[in-house]
Amino acid sequence: GPSTYSEKRGHPRLRLRHAPFEIGAVQRDAWLSHMRVAVESLELAPEPESELWNYLVAAANSLVNVDDQI
């Protein structure tokens, strides 16, 4: 996509911006479920949809900062 965000605000620094919040598997999965609905609403061709989805899953996994397994 366009680099508008980075041009105006710099690198997104997702981990740094989310560090104050506890993010475990439950939070990650909840966010991904909402993103799945959003991605499907775009009605993309299979290849770009897969690429976008893989990016979102990787981003979500990188933000997990607590081990909430019991």
Side-chain angles (χ1 to χ4, degrees), residues 16-33:
L16 179 65
R17 292 177 195 264
H18 288 80
F21 309 101
E22 288 190 3
I23 301 172
V26 170
Q27 292 80 11
R28 177 202 60 211
D29 293 348
W31 184 80
L32 283 172
S33 71

Side-chain angles (χ1 to χ4, degrees), residues 3-68:
S3 60
T4 310
Y5 184 93
S6 294
E7 289 170 2
K8 290 183 178 180
R9 298 193 174 133
H11 190 279
R13 303 191 195 294
L14 289 177
R15 279 192 65 81
L16 179 65
R17 292 177 195 264
H18 288 80
F21 309 101
E22 288 190 3
I23 301 172
V26 170
Q27 292 80 11
R28 177 202 60 211
D29 293 348
W31 184 80
L32 283 172
S33 71
H34 291 289
M35 294 308 295
R36 185 74 249 170
V37 171
V39 169
E40 288 176 2
S41 76
L42 297 172
E43 299 180 353
L44 298 171
E47 188 175 328
E49 180 177 320
S50 178
E51 187 174 341
L52 174 59
W53 183 247
N54 290 339
Y55 174 83
L56 293 173
V57 169
N61 285 327
S62 76
L63 296 176
V64 172
N65 59 15
V66 296
D67 183 8
D68 54 5

